[in-house]
Amino acid sequence: MSDEIVSMKTATVDDGPAVLDLLKQLQTESNVVLIAHLQSMTKEKARADLDQLSDRDDAIVLLAMVGQLPVGILTVTPAADGQGELGVAILKDYWHNGIGTMLVDEAVYWLNHFSSLPSIKLDVFADNERAYAIYQRLGFKEVGRRQAEDSRGQLQTAIMMQIKRQTE
């Protein structure tokens, strides 16, 4: 990946099929993609989901792109407790290139400048030390720990983290 240029974009309805394909591939490469019914989701449903999120100030879907290929995704969606819930995943061939950091940093900027959310929360598995360090560096604070199943059904310790919107 050393000479490839990575760009970032907000996902649109037209990205629905590519987002679905990306999520399905990510689920095979990592134990952190926890999306119920992903295997039965259709491209039409993916388009409809992106359309539903497109004009909201409490949700965002960002794609990391290499040319026309999506290689990473970040989502912030409203949770029942009024916070945004962040999820991020990068294709394995593109790990350790700063793409996750770039996406999360953009989500923090969005929270502070465009979002109506008071905060963003996330869970990171305790064995994912690199991700934990990135979240801390970008301003997330640990707020608790819990036991959670990964996408393969294995029980792991999940660190709950949060960042609050900065007021000026």
Side-chain angles (χ1 to χ4, degrees):
M1 159 137 183
S2 59
D3 59 349
E4 296 175 291
I5 297 173
V6 178
S7 62
M8 194 171 21
K9 66 177 263 181
T10 302
T12 66
V13 172
D14 293 336
D15 295 313
V19 166
L20 180 58
D21 291 343
L22 174 64
L23 291 172
K24 286 181 177 180
Q25 183 175 349
L26 286 165
Q27 194 169 48
T28 69
E29 295 182 354
S30 167
N31 65 344
V32 300
V33 178
L34 304 167
I35 302 172
H37 313 295
L38 180 61
Q39 294 309 315
S40 63
M41 183 178 279
T42 65
K43 293 181 180 191
E44 292 75 26
K45 173 78 168 113
R47 281 188 181 100
D49 288 351
L50 287 172
D51 186 44
Q52 182 182 21
L53 296 173
S54 65
D55 290 327
R56 298 179 63 151
D57 64 3
D58 62 353
I60 191 167
V61 179
L62 297 174
L63 296 174
M65 306 290 292
V66 172
Q68 297 300 310
L69 176 69
V71 299
I73 186 167
L74 175 136
T75 61
V76 177
T77 54
D81 63 4
Q83 299 183 77
E85 187 162 8
L86 184 143
V88 62
I90 311 301
L91 290 176
K92 195 169 192 171
D93 286 346
Y94 294 88
W95 287 1
H96 311 302
N97 286 292
I99 297 170
T101 302
M102 175 182 74
L103 288 169
V104 175
D105 188 50
E106 186 65 21
V108 172
Y109 183 85
W110 170 81
L111 171 68
N112 290 327
H113 295 91
F114 300 104
S115 172
S116 63
L117 296 167
S119 59
I120 294 175
K121 66 180 181 177
L122 61 88
D123 287 353
V124 60
F125 290 127
D127 65 354
N128 193 346
E129 295 171 4
R130 287 180 69 110
Y132 179 77
I134 290 166
Y135 297 137
Q136 279 190 311
R137 189 172 71 242
L138 294 175
F140 285 81
K141 306 289 185 217
E142 185 173 334
V143 295
R145 291 180 181 235
R146 65 184 181 91
Q147 293 299 301
E149 279 189 16
D150 65 20
S151 65
R152 296 185 175 97
Q154 301 297 312
L155 204 57
Q156 294 199 42
T157 299
I159 301 169
M160 300 178 293
M161 302 185 82
Q162 177 189 63
I163 188 168
K164 294 182 180 179
R165 180 175 37 202
Q166 299 293 310
T167 55
E168 298 183 72

